[in-house]
Amino acid sequence: MVVFIHTDWCQFCQRMKATTFKDPEIIEKLNSDFYFIDFNAEERRDITFANHTFKYRPSGNNVGVHELALQLGTINNQIAYPTLCVLNEKNEIIFQYNIYLGTKDFKTLLENLEK
């Protein structure tokens, strides 16, 4: 499972959506070899995952983050956007990366995940 954790206000997130995730090869590989989830870290609905319900946590006036984004996207005690989180079949995190990935680098990552 590949989870793309992003926000609406993150410039690098929006650039990845407009370039990396528009590439036909990447779309094909994600659809055929992975379960891909595009996850807005500011989602307000409760989400049940792995028998646990995660909720939106407000942190100020119309600001907050979803607990599931924190669970999957926290690296070295902080969350940054965009974050890619890869889980194995047991829903264990096997890879996290929190920097913009262009098309070429993302293709390389997907190839390495398949090994």
Side-chain angles (χ1 to χ4, degrees):
M1 183 182 319
V2 176
V3 184
F4 174 58
I5 304 167
H6 61 86
T7 65
D8 291 338
W9 50 262
C10 165
Q11 292 178 355
F12 293 109
C13 302
Q14 299 310 315
R15 193 161 71 200
M16 272 187 79
K17 283 179 156 190
T19 57
T20 307
F21 292 114
K22 294 279 190 217
D23 183 275
E25 280 183 57
I26 289 174
I27 293 168
E28 168 65 28
K29 190 163 279 300
L30 284 172
N31 287 334
S32 65
D33 301 343
F34 299 94
Y35 185 75
F36 178 71
I37 298 170
D38 181 322
F39 183 52
N40 186 335
E42 296 172 323
E43 172 64 52
R44 293 177 186 261
R45 292 176 291 162
D46 291 356
I47 297 173
T48 301
F49 175 72
N51 298 319
H52 181 79
T53 300
F54 296 88
K55 299 178 178 293
Y56 175 77
R57 283 202 292 185
S59 59
N61 227 3
N62 210 23
V63 186
V65 66
H66 202 280
E67 291 171 340
L68 185 56
L70 292 172
Q71 182 75 29
L72 298 176
T74 299
I75 302 171
N76 297 325
N77 296 317
Q78 66 180 20
I79 190 161
Y81 307 105
T83 294
L84 282 171
C85 178
V86 180
L87 301 137
N88 64 16
E89 60 279 347
K90 296 176 188 169
N91 292 327
E92 298 166 330
I93 296 172
I94 58 169
F95 180 80
Q96 290 172 303
Y97 193 75
N98 65 352
I99 297 175
Y100 170 86
L101 275 172
T103 304
K104 182 180 176 208
D105 292 333
F106 196 81
K107 285 178 186 176
T108 302
L109 169 66
L110 291 177
E111 288 167 9
N112 288 331
L113 287 172
E114 290 181 314
K115 293 179 182 176

